Amino acid sequence: MMEATIPAATERTPQSQPHLKGNMGFFQLIFSVMAYNAPMVVVIGVIPIMVMEGAGLGTPLSFIGAGLILALFSVGFTRMARVLPNPGGFYALITAGLGRAIGLGSGFVALLAYFGVYAGTFSFGGIVLGELVTNTLNGPEMPWYVWGAAFWLASAVLGYLKVELSAKVLALFLFAEILIIVAYDLLVLVNGGADGSGISLEPLSPSHWLDGNFSLGLLLAIGMYGGFEVTVLFREEVRNPVRIIPRATFAVIAIAMTIYALSSLMFANSLGIDKVVAMAQEDPTGAMNTSIATFGGSLLFDLATVMVITSTFAVILAAHNITARYVFNLSADKIFPTRMSAVHKRHGSPHVASVATSAAALVLNTAVVVLGVDPLAFYTAVLGMTSMIALLIIFICNVAVFLYMRRKGGPLASAWATVVCPILAAMGLGSALLLAIVNFPMLVGGSSAVASALLLVIFGLFILGVSSALVYRSRKPDIYTRIGRQ
């Protein structure tokens, strides 16, 4: 199914296809992508769980290892994005490297992942916002879906408008998140940790590489970098994509790695190097709450609680924008109804795709409410599914980069960028992918039945994309040739 004959973008005459418009700069792109990582949610909600179930005291090393693996992948990834300046993100790059059938299958699965993050996070957002209103602000007690609807409406409106507006909102929230995280880290650092004797670097020692379940810790850590790759998806809405996209991609990875590794190091020191694992295993949420309250007082604790909510909304908005652009690109290729590839005359946004994305999320969450599905179980299952899909798609794209750049990379196809880095990245990504498959029931909440059903959805959707492309090849060659924004 691989095709070696898809020409490089620089060799083609541009087709008359719909194109988005925008003027995002370097920092706006970083904020739009980093928001998808939800750094505050990672620091408060995920790091204690990683200490409990992952690499234990070696958790900072898990984040460093994951960041290095993804940086290796990004070397060839960003170079291919320069050689093949097509919109469409993974959908376009995988198509160019591995052929239209695999490209369309991967595009369908990638769309499922981003939509899952968008639609699946409303339940979590509704719960945490409801707890804040009821328990902290002494407001009315309402069902989660009432508060979730507020997130939905705000993301639907902002997603419809020009991308720069969303970028400004995300920048504001992300800046506040990072400010709170940095304040926490500095307070632990200045106060010398739990006993005041100074910060221990023992968690960074090679002796802790195999603490706990390091392989599982690496898997969870890679999942916390989700979204770094979507810099290429915003190509048409970036001011100078050739310069900005590679820089933003590596900046996102570097910022995330620094924040997560440093915060997990400070967390371990805040409770004591010899006590943190036991405390996290006993009560992960309580351990982090205790740490923040001890070093930052009630003010920092309350601010962090609020920032979890804004961080959750930032994830929703970022995932909405990403999903809408995947829908737009598939529609521009006539895989989806062409109406969804309409571009707003004033905002330059994929407004019809945005409305369709919002409507689909509303339908799915309405079904969750009507069927009485536990909202946290729904959130856990969807997020576990999207974590595995992200690994799968990145691994496939890594192979596509290797093959395409060897054929079409030209002067950018150095041995380091297109052979060494992809091979090293494949080793790390492949290991993590195997772990994700083996531990998939745990990732989706522990149910083997749910895990089996979601695996069927993932691979069924991939097969649907592959078979659809083959049907287009025989029956509608005009559509077939467009697959992957070719």
Side-chain angles (χ1 to χ4, degrees):
M1 284 183 287
M2 287 195 308
E3 304 163 27
T5 58
I6 297 178
T10 53
E11 299 172 358
R12 292 195 311 271
T13 301
Q15 298 181 18
S16 178
Q17 292 187 357
H19 292 283
L20 300 174
K21 301 174 183 178
N23 193 37
M24 281 198 294
F26 175 72
F27 289 105
Q28 287 177 309
L29 182 59
I30 288 179
F31 293 144
S32 295
V33 175
M34 272 297 297
Y36 186 82
N37 289 141
M40 182 60 73
V41 174
V42 173
V43 170
I44 291 182
V46 178
I47 285 178
I49 294 175
M50 289 182 62
V51 172
M52 174 182 68
E53 295 185 343
L57 203 57
T59 294
L61 293 170
S62 296
F63 284 117
I64 293 172
L68 292 176
I69 290 171
L70 296 176
L72 287 169
F73 161 75
S74 296
V75 172
F77 172 67
T78 53
R79 291 200 179 197
M80 182 174 175
R82 290 174 61 187
V83 177
L84 185 86
N86 293 22
F90 282 149
Y91 168 55
L93 299 185
I94 292 174
T95 298
L98 295 174
R100 292 176 172 84
I102 294 179
L104 187 56
S106 300
F108 280 2
V109 174
L111 173 60
L112 173 64
Y114 295 122
F115 176 73
V117 173
Y118 167 58
T121 306
F122 288 115
S123 55
F124 176 77
I127 290 171
V128 295
L129 179 56
E131 289 177 349
L132 175 68
V133 171
T134 303
N135 300 332
T136 304
L137 303 179
N138 297 316
E141 184 172 353
M142 305 286 283
W144 70 266
Y145 50 82
V146 174
W147 306 113
F151 286 108
W152 176 84
L153 181 60
S155 62
V157 171
L158 288 171
Y160 184 92
L161 303 174
K162 63 174 62 178
V163 71
E164 287 90 350
L165 181 58
S166 291
K168 290 176 181 178
V169 173
L170 294 174
L172 176 64
F173 288 161
L174 183 65
F175 179 78
E177 287 180 56
I178 293 178
L179 192 63
I180 297 300
I181 294 171
V182 170
Y184 165 72
D185 290 341
L186 286 176
L187 286 168
V188 177
L189 177 65
V190 170
N191 285 281
D195 57 8
S197 61
I199 297 301
S200 170
L201 299 180
E202 186 178 343
L204 300 178
S205 170
S207 63
H208 294 292
W209 284 2
L210 300 180
D211 278 10
N213 189 334
F214 181 77
S215 58
L216 181 58
L218 181 64
L219 167 63
L220 294 172
I222 289 177
M224 296 308 102
Y225 287 82
F228 76 94
E229 75 286 347
V230 299
T231 50
V232 300
L233 187 63
F234 290 97
R235 166 174 290 278
E236 294 180 318
E237 297 163 279
V238 173
R239 186 180 305 130
N240 187 346
V242 173
R243 291 171 58 87
I244 289 177
I245 287 177
R247 294 178 181 180
T249 303
F250 287 107
V252 168
I253 295 173
I255 293 170
M257 183 169 66
T258 301
I259 289 175
Y260 300 155
L262 183 60
S263 295
S264 55
L265 177 64
M266 292 301 113
F267 172 64
N269 276 273
S270 71
L271 300 178
I273 297 298
D274 57 340
K275 299 177 182 178
V276 62
V277 175
M279 293 181 70
Q281 290 174 341
E282 181 179 348
D283 182 6
T285 302
M288 179 55 82
N289 289 343
T290 298
S291 176
I292 294 174
T294 299
F295 288 89
S298 59
L299 175 61
L300 189 67
F301 179 79
D302 290 341
L303 288 173
T305 301
V306 173
M307 286 299 103
V308 168
I309 294 170
T310 60
S311 181
T312 301
F313 175 68
V315 172
I316 290 172
L317 178 57
H320 175 281
N321 289 341
I322 295 167
T323 302
R325 279 148 186 82
Y326 259 89
V327 172
F328 170 86
N329 282 292
L330 287 163
S331 174
D333 285 348
K334 298 186 177 181
I335 306 300
F336 289 171
T338 55
R339 172 61 178 154
M340 293 185 183
S341 63
V343 179
H344 197 283
K345 292 182 179 179
R346 184 154 60 94
H347 301 301
S349 63
H351 61 299
V352 178
S354 175
V355 171
T357 298
S358 300
L362 182 61
V363 169
L364 179 59
N365 280 273
T366 299
V368 169
V369 174
V370 172
L371 295 175
V373 177
D374 179 79
L376 278 181
F378 173 65
Y379 173 72
T380 301
V382 170
L383 269 292
M385 176 191 71
T386 59
S387 295
M388 201 194 79
I389 290 176
L391 278 170
L392 175 63
I393 296 299
I394 293 173
F395 182 82
I396 294 174
C397 188
N398 189 63
V399 177
V401 168
F402 175 79
L403 295 176
Y404 183 87
M405 291 299 287
R406 298 310 299 167
R407 299 194 307 260
K408 303 287 185 180
L412 293 178
S414 67
W416 166 252
T418 59
V419 178
V420 177
C421 287
I423 289 175
L424 292 176
M427 294 170 62
L429 292 169
S431 300
L433 182 58
L434 289 175
L435 284 168
I437 295 173
V438 171
N439 293 285
F440 194 56
M442 184 206 72
L443 290 178
V444 298
S447 171
S448 296
V450 171
S452 298
L454 291 176
L455 283 174
L456 284 175
V457 171
I458 294 170
F459 290 105
L461 196 60
F462 180 80
I463 295 301
L464 175 62
V466 170
S467 58
S468 296
L470 297 179
V471 170
Y472 287 131
R473 184 172 65 179
S474 62
R475 298 184 181 180
K476 296 182 178 180
D478 58 319
I479 295 180
Y480 179 75
T481 59
R482 300 170 69 101
I483 291 175
R485 295 309 303 270
Q486 304 299 311

